[in-house]
Amino acid sequence: DPASSSASDSASDTVTVDNCTITVTKSADAEAICSGSSTTYDFTVTNNSAGFTWSGTFVDDVVGPIGGQPLVLAPGQTATFNNVAGPVLTANSTNTATADGAFNDPASSSASDSASDTVTVETCRIIVKKLTVPIEAPVSTMFEFTGSPAGSIGHNQTIQQDVTVPGEYTTE
């Protein structure tokens, strides 16, 4: 080349990396309950992506499916499910909620997350003992008990006994 010319060229491109992940949270509304009772649970699923929609299933291994299936979350969206009824428990229970699905990105990136919570089941009973002190039979002696025992006495139920004669009374 007699003119000794030179040539050059450059190009640049920006690649944005998206956080294609989800986050699941779960908590029982009561960490301890009486045997034969149940509790409710609160759940969230968050799409951490700024650019892609996530779609998938959301299931608790004890409660069952949570929300409509499939669950679809827009970029940055959080789905919240409060006061979801759990089953009656007679033993300690650790259950796990799992969201499993994929994003609508070109690679159809899969994403899943899980959260667990434990509910402790206790044997609950209450004994009410009333000993009347007067020797003679009273005309009207009222006493009552209000509480939340298990068994034949319901939560916040009141037991009332009128004209209690002297003696010892036990309720189990």
Side-chain angles (χ1 to χ4, degrees):
D1 182 6
S4 294
S5 59
S6 67
S8 70
D9 194 10
S10 66
S12 65
D13 195 7
T14 302
V15 176
T16 303
V17 178
D18 198 84
N19 181 14
C20 288
T21 62
I22 60 171
T23 303
V24 173
T25 66
K26 173 186 180 173
S27 64
D29 293 329
E31 295 299 321
I33 61 172
C34 292
S35 180
S37 299
S38 63
T39 187
T40 57
Y41 298 90
D42 299 329
F43 303 89
T44 65
V45 182
T46 301
N47 177 353
N48 299 317
S49 170
F52 300 104
T53 298
W54 177 87
S55 177
T57 59
F58 186 39
V59 179
D60 182 277
D61 64 350
V62 172
V63 176
I66 308 298
Q69 305 290 320
L71 178 60
V72 178
L73 298 176
Q77 183 181 8
T78 297
T80 301
F81 306 93
N82 289 325
N83 300 313
V84 177
V88 171
L89 300 175
T90 57
N92 294 346
S93 175
T94 298
N95 49 321
T96 302
T98 302
D100 188 27
F103 287 93
N104 68 344
D105 64 323
S108 294
S109 301
S110 64
S112 66
D113 192 31
S114 297
S116 297
D117 200 7
T118 299
V119 176
T120 303
V121 176
E122 299 175 358
T123 301
C124 301
R125 74 179 196 161
I126 190 159
I127 297 172
V128 177
K129 199 171 194 178
K130 167 78 172 162
L131 178 61
T132 57
V133 178
I135 302 301
E136 65 279 347
V139 176
S140 177
T141 302
M142 293 281 286
F143 73 91
E144 65 181 47
F145 167 79
T146 302
S148 57
S152 62
I153 302 170
H155 181 68
N156 287 328
Q157 182 179 353
T158 300
I159 299 170
Q160 237 179 32
Q161 178 68 43
D162 189 16
V163 189
T164 306
V165 296
E168 193 172 308
Y169 299 88
T170 303
T171 302
E172 288 193 51

